[in-house]
Amino acid sequence: MATNSSIEWTEATWNPVGGCTVISPGCTNCYAMRLASRLEKMGQTKYAGTTRISGGRAKWNGKIVLDRKALELPRTWKKGKVIFVNSMSDLFHEDVPFDFIREVFNTMASTPQHTYQVLTKRAERVESLSSKLPWSNNVWLGVSVENKEFTWRIDALRRTGAEIKFLSLEPLLGPLDNLNLKDIDWAIAGGESGPGARAMNPEWVRSIRDQCNAANVAFHFKQWGGVNKKKTGRVLDGRTWDETPLRKWLSEPHLTV
Ligand code: SF4
């Protein structure tokens, strides 16, 4: 089933893949690792053996599980949803075979009632496979960038065939000044939350908001984060920021809603 999501910028999650490997500093406190460990204990076979306990914490062990049955699920949902693809993994992980990725894209292309948000940290792999994938215009592709060391992922994103391109600047771990936002439609920023959350400087967020405003890029501020994210909330300079690229997308005459 699609799982209704509490993530502020989507409606539901769809997970054809389980398991992952940490790849950059943004992964250190990956919520999916913790959740996969809990789901395994609850008997969900998709996450069996994907984590181990080390230093008292759940960590990915690199096992990837492909859930072929899940490929059919979106075809059974008649009402259109905004769906975060693989919230519990990375579709472009090196151990997810190209044929499986293509099947995920075929499912997305055959269900135009839905809007899919695919988010990856493996920007070099999605770029290298892009020309072989059936990009339908209901697929939004995003890359995660947590600090300035990883802005090259934005360049790779620009070179893909996705109609809508977005950035997840979360958990924001450092300043991201002078971003190149050419051809970028949407940016999400947010602080880390949960146990061991690393601090975010408000000036880093203001800089991203101002750069988005100047470049006419939709801006979404997800949260301040911290150990108690409900307490810190998501108000920035007196208001919430919930822009989406949807208005631009819906205004394109050739698109199917
Ligand atoms: S790529 Fe995503 S799912 Fe994989 S470890 Fe990093 S944060 Fe977690």
Side-chain angles (χ1 to χ4, degrees), residues 20-23 26-27 30-33 60 87-90 121-122:
C20 199
T21 313
V22 299
I23 189 171
C27 299
C30 170
Y31 76 94
M33 283 192 296
W60 293 125
S87 63
M88 294 293 290
S89 181
D90 187 329
K121 285 189 172 70
R122 272 83 176 173

Side-chain angles (χ1 to χ4, degrees), residues 184-188 212-213 215-220 242-246:
I184 300 302
D185 300 289
W186 190 32
I188 301 160
C212 287
N213 283 343
N216 201 22
V217 171
F219 174 70
H220 180 106
D242 293 311
E243 294 167 357
T244 77
L246 214 50

Side-chain angles (χ1 to χ4, degrees), residues 37-246:
S37 178
R38 287 210 300 273
L39 291 172
E40 179 180 5
K41 287 187 188 120
M42 290 161 67
Q44 286 210 23
T45 52
K46 190 179 337 192
Y47 303 103
T50 59
T51 60
R52 63 193 156 82
I53 300 298
S54 170
R57 300 174 54 191
K59 304 248 171 81
W60 293 125
N61 65 16
K63 180 180 173 186
I64 296 292
V65 179
L66 307 179
D67 184 353
R68 291 190 180 280
K69 281 193 195 147
L71 292 170
E72 291 304 314
L73 284 176
R75 298 191 177 104
T76 68
W77 308 324
K78 301 301 171 212
K79 188 165 175 262
K81 298 172 191 285
V82 180
I83 300 172
F84 178 16
V85 179
N86 261 0
S87 63
M88 294 293 290
S89 181
D90 187 329
L91 183 61
F92 292 93
H93 187 284
E94 49 279 19
D95 290 341
V96 180
F98 170 68
D99 286 349
F100 191 83
I101 296 171
R102 190 172 48 194
E103 285 185 63
V104 170
F105 272 71
N106 286 340
T107 296
M108 296 192 289
S110 68
T111 50
Q113 70 271 33
H114 302 310
T115 300
Y116 293 94
Q117 298 161 321
V118 179
L119 179 61
T120 186
K121 285 189 172 70
R122 272 83 176 173
E124 70 283 45
R125 189 164 187 226
V126 67
E127 181 192 354
S128 71
L129 298 179
S130 176
S131 63
K132 298 181 219 154
L133 290 169
W135 291 99
S136 48
N137 48 33
N138 60 339
V139 176
W140 302 0
L141 178 69
V143 294
S144 298
V145 176
E146 59 266 55
N147 64 32
K148 63 184 179 200
E149 269 180 66
F150 297 96
T151 52
W152 60 266
R153 291 176 181 154
I154 306 174
D155 298 322
L157 172 67
R158 246 188 295 277
R159 293 189 287 264
T160 67
E163 172 97 11
I164 297 284
K165 300 179 176 74
F166 70 98
L167 309 179
S168 173
L169 311 175
E170 187 205 2
L172 190 58
L173 301 179
L176 289 173
D177 299 324
N178 303 314
L179 286 171
N180 179 353
L181 294 173
K182 183 172 181 297
D183 298 333
I184 300 302
D185 300 289
W186 190 32
I188 301 160
E192 190 164 56
S193 60
R198 291 161 283 182
M200 178 177 66
N201 184 328
E203 291 309 317
W204 302 343
V205 186
R206 290 193 178 100
S207 166
I208 292 166
R209 175 201 58 195
D210 295 346
Q211 291 177 72
C212 287
N213 283 343
N216 201 22
V217 171
F219 174 70
H220 180 106
F221 180 51
K222 185 180 164 197
Q223 61 182 25
W224 289 108
V227 176
N228 184 346
K229 70 174 191 174
K230 282 199 178 132
K231 200 168 157 199
T232 52
R234 52 191 302 273
V235 172
L236 169 64
D237 293 337
R239 56 164 284 197
T240 52
W241 300 79
D242 293 311
E243 294 167 357
T244 77
L246 214 50

